[in-house]
Amino acid sequence: MEILIVGVFALVAIAIATAVSPRVGVAAPLILVALGFGASLLPGVPTVEIDPEVILAGVLPPLLFAAGASIPATDFRREFRSISGLSILLTILSTAVLGVFFHWVIDDLSWAWSFALGAIVSPSDPVATSIIKRLGVSPRMVSLLEGESLLNDACALVLLRGAVAAAAAAVTVWDIALEFILAMTVAVIIGVVIGRLNLWVSNRIKDTTANTVFTLAVPFIASVPAEMVGASGLVAAVVCGLVTGNGAAKALSPQVRLSDQQTWHAIELILEGVVYLIVGLEIVGVIQEVEEQHEGIGFAVALALVTIVLVLLLRAAFITPLLAAQARRARRAERLRPHLDDIRTRLADPDTQTEAIRQVGRAAGGITGRRILRGDVPHEHVDRHLTRAQADAGYLVRAPLGPREGAVMVWAGMRGVVTVAAAQTLPTDTPDRALLVLIAYLVAVGSLVIQGGTVRWVVAWLKPSRGASPEEAARERAELDEHLDQAVADAGGADALGSRVAVIEVQRDALIDARRLGIFSSALLSDTLERLDSEQIRLEM
């Protein structure tokens, strides 16, 4: 009965926090942390201790799967270098610097445990990033933050695993590096395989309800085997989500996609809410333990505050050159656009076509470029490659990232559930374990309160880019409508297709092709696809 009461309380609290959040201007996760903390102070409420495996293995895989499925694959491809830098290089840098700091300030804490705590507080949180997403900042900034938070938690957990192993036995840096590479590589392979298998199976389950039930198991079908072979189950879930989200429009019916979308929105809301309630409920018990063992929590509070400042400084130091590199990419893209336009003109002329194809091959580089230079790629594929290059250049020019956007990205790097869960995985014989866990909790909660509680004002003060203006958005929508009309005309026209559903299917194929090429914004393509799906469902009822 107690479990039932707690469950009902959690659902009601999540619903209330979500409904009240826009009215009071406070992010729902902060409201839930406060509710959990307040509930833990009530008489008769026992100290809550949640097995970290419940969060790491039971909560995070579906959350990361859903987040991965919602990230536009084209945006992820375009920002892959920056996302990799933020999620891997910055996490490693933060772990190293914070490890040195903790070894210096905490008496008798070995290097291994110092780096373990550094790894715990290094990753930004995939759930906390949802706070910034709701503030209407530019889609490009959201893609970077979401991509970073999806992958850096797995990186931090692998580093934590290596640090704990080093504390128990002689482990070299090369051993940890090899484990990291293998864990990530195997996880990516498993994620891709399970993602494609999910699309294949879902395409053959015609009953929408049965398909939804099967989909709920997919994140675990990816994460559990990965963990069993020593890889990162979280990375496997993320990659599986990316593959599923990118292929769903082609492989699944509108009814299945709409059902999955609604189901996963509800699941995300519940799981996110439960996580933050747990943080609020658990922190009182950890504080009591530290007070008993260390005669107060003042040292832990001070250390947590300094850690938050250090994390922000490290993040700013990393993002500053990253933005400079992005600015160089934008300037190079601006210079490249006239050259690409000239290549397209010559590609259409039979007299200059051969040289234009060679230029496309040289510009493409890699395996694709060599195949183009050898003549192994059909002319229409060369044309598509050039179209994608033009679209990528336009994307970089239209959505620049400047100092204002960089400052918001620094402030948006909040810690949260991954830090809390990772801290709880420390072995019971860890020296000063209660102190280390409390520091991690305070960093997570303090980050949410300080950064999450003020990020709305930071965005209002800095006024970063919000993406396309209303006029630009209207112009792009008109261009997309014209593109869809042209696709229908190329298919013989609406009369030849015979029905509105057939027209919708042609337009959907055109949208999917446009998404592969990146010739329209991901948000517009997603909105248009949802509109077509809703219309087809209505017609087929």
Side-chain angles (χ1 to χ4, degrees):
M1 183 61 71
E2 290 182 359
I3 296 177
L4 178 61
I5 293 173
V6 171
V8 171
F9 164 77
L11 292 175
V12 172
I14 292 167
I16 292 175
T18 304
V20 169
S21 174
R23 300 180 183 179
V24 299
V26 178
L30 297 178
I31 297 176
L32 290 169
V33 170
L35 287 174
F37 180 77
S40 67
L41 298 177
L42 295 176
V45 176
T47 300
V48 176
E49 291 186 8
I50 303 296
D51 186 346
E53 286 299 317
V54 172
I55 296 178
L56 290 174
V59 174
L60 287 183
L63 273 177
L64 296 180
F65 171 86
S70 66
I71 290 183
T74 299
D75 293 351
F76 190 84
R77 172 184 61 79
R78 285 168 168 166
E79 304 292 357
F80 184 73
R81 289 185 181 178
S82 298
I83 290 173
S84 300
L86 287 167
S87 58
I88 297 177
L89 296 181
L90 178 56
T91 302
I92 294 174
L93 174 65
S94 299
T95 298
V97 174
L98 291 172
V100 173
F101 170 70
F102 291 134
H103 182 73
W104 176 53
V105 298
I106 301 178
D107 292 337
D108 300 324
L109 190 65
S110 70
W111 281 109
W113 294 118
S114 299
F115 287 125
L117 182 56
I120 288 170
V121 299
S122 289
S124 60
D125 190 70
V127 180
T129 305
S130 63
I131 296 174
I132 191 72
K133 187 177 181 179
R134 298 187 182 104
L135 296 179
V137 298
S138 72
R140 186 178 182 188
M141 196 190 311
V142 171
S143 295
L144 282 169
L145 291 171
E146 282 190 327
E148 174 197 5
S149 62
L150 284 175
L151 297 178
N152 65 2
D153 53 343
C155 175
L157 290 172
V158 172
L159 293 174
L160 172 61
R161 188 187 305 169
V164 172
V171 177
T172 67
V173 173
W174 294 112
D175 293 332
I176 297 175
L178 180 61
E179 180 184 0
F180 176 81
I181 294 171
L182 289 175
M184 300 292 276
T185 303
V186 174
V188 168
I189 294 172
I190 292 175
V192 170
V193 171
I194 300 301
R196 291 180 177 175
L197 180 64
N198 174 36
L199 293 173
W200 185 84
V201 173
S202 296
N203 187 39
R204 284 156 178 78
I205 300 177
K206 302 306 179 183
D207 185 274
T208 302
T209 304
N211 204 308
T212 299
V213 173
F214 171 75
T215 301
L216 298 179
V218 170
F220 304 104
I221 296 174
S223 64
V224 172
E227 291 292 339
M228 290 176 66
V229 298
S232 171
L234 301 184
V235 170
V238 169
V239 174
C240 182
L242 286 168
V243 173
T244 299
N246 189 49
K250 187 72 174 177
L252 306 180
S253 68
Q255 291 83 355
V256 170
R257 290 200 303 275
L258 180 61
S259 175
D260 286 351
Q261 185 181 51
Q262 293 173 339
T263 300
W264 279 108
H265 279 332
I267 290 173
E268 283 185 283
L269 181 64
I270 293 172
L271 292 181
E272 287 178 8
V274 167
V275 163
Y276 285 110
L277 282 172
I278 289 172
V279 171
L281 288 167
E282 282 193 335
I283 196 168
V284 171
V286 177
I287 289 174
Q288 291 173 347
E289 187 176 354
V290 172
E291 285 181 334
E292 293 171 1
Q293 296 180 4
H294 296 274
E295 299 179 353
I297 62 170
F299 175 70
V301 172
L303 194 54
L305 291 174
V306 175
T307 300
I308 292 173
V309 173
L310 270 177
V311 165
L312 289 172
L313 291 175
L314 287 169
R315 189 170 178 82
F318 191 90
I319 287 179
T320 299
L322 180 68
L323 291 181
Q326 291 281 14
R328 288 195 297 271
R329 286 183 67 197
R331 290 193 296 269
R332 187 165 59 248
E334 183 67 44
R335 293 193 301 268
L336 186 61
R337 292 177 78 182
H339 178 60
L340 294 175
D341 293 340
D342 180 61
I343 292 177
R344 176 163 296 286
T345 301
R346 284 184 283 135
L347 191 63
D349 187 344
D351 295 332
T352 58
Q353 189 178 93
T354 302
E355 178 57 30
I357 290 175
R358 291 197 189 99
Q359 287 183 302
V360 173
R362 287 193 291 267
I367 296 175
T368 301
R370 289 195 293 272
R371 292 184 66 233
I372 293 174
L373 290 172
R374 290 198 306 265
D376 296 340
V377 179
H379 177 269
E380 59 269 20
H381 289 183
V382 175
D383 183 77
R384 288 175 59 82
H385 188 87
L386 180 59
T387 299
R388 190 168 78 166
Q390 289 179 299
D392 289 350
Y395 167 84
L396 293 172
V397 173
R398 288 193 307 271
L401 295 175
R404 295 175 185 270
E405 290 75 25
V408 173
M409 287 177 62
V410 170
W411 199 249
M414 292 163 270
R415 274 53 188 161
V417 60
V418 175
T419 292
V420 171
Q424 284 290 351
T425 63
L426 289 173
T428 55
D429 59 350
T430 301
D432 294 323
R433 183 181 186 276
L435 176 63
L436 302 187
V437 170
L438 179 60
I439 291 170
Y441 271 39
L442 291 175
V443 169
V445 175
S447 173
L448 285 172
V449 171
I450 296 171
Q451 295 167 246
T454 59
V455 69
R456 184 183 300 273
W457 299 326
V458 170
V459 169
W461 175 52
L462 292 173
K463 295 181 174 61
S465 171
R466 301 276 182 167
S469 66
E471 295 78 12
E472 292 171 334
R475 185 167 57 252
E476 186 184 26
R477 180 169 291 280
E479 292 174 356
L480 177 57
D481 290 341
E482 183 179 347
H483 181 78
L484 296 179
D485 291 341
Q486 184 60 48
V488 173
D490 292 342
D495 293 338
L497 290 170
S499 68
R500 177 55 187 164
V501 171
V503 171
I504 289 174
E505 290 175 348
V506 169
Q507 292 177 326
R508 182 183 294 111
D509 289 341
L511 285 174
I512 294 171
D513 189 58
R515 186 177 64 183
R516 292 194 188 103
L517 297 174
I519 54 178
F520 297 101
S521 67
S522 297
L524 176 59
L525 291 172
S526 297
D527 290 343
T528 307
L529 183 60
E530 289 180 11
R531 177 171 56 83
L532 291 179
D533 286 348
S534 298
E535 184 178 357
Q536 182 173 345
I537 292 172
R538 179 179 59 81
L539 291 171
E540 292 178 341
M541 287 182 63

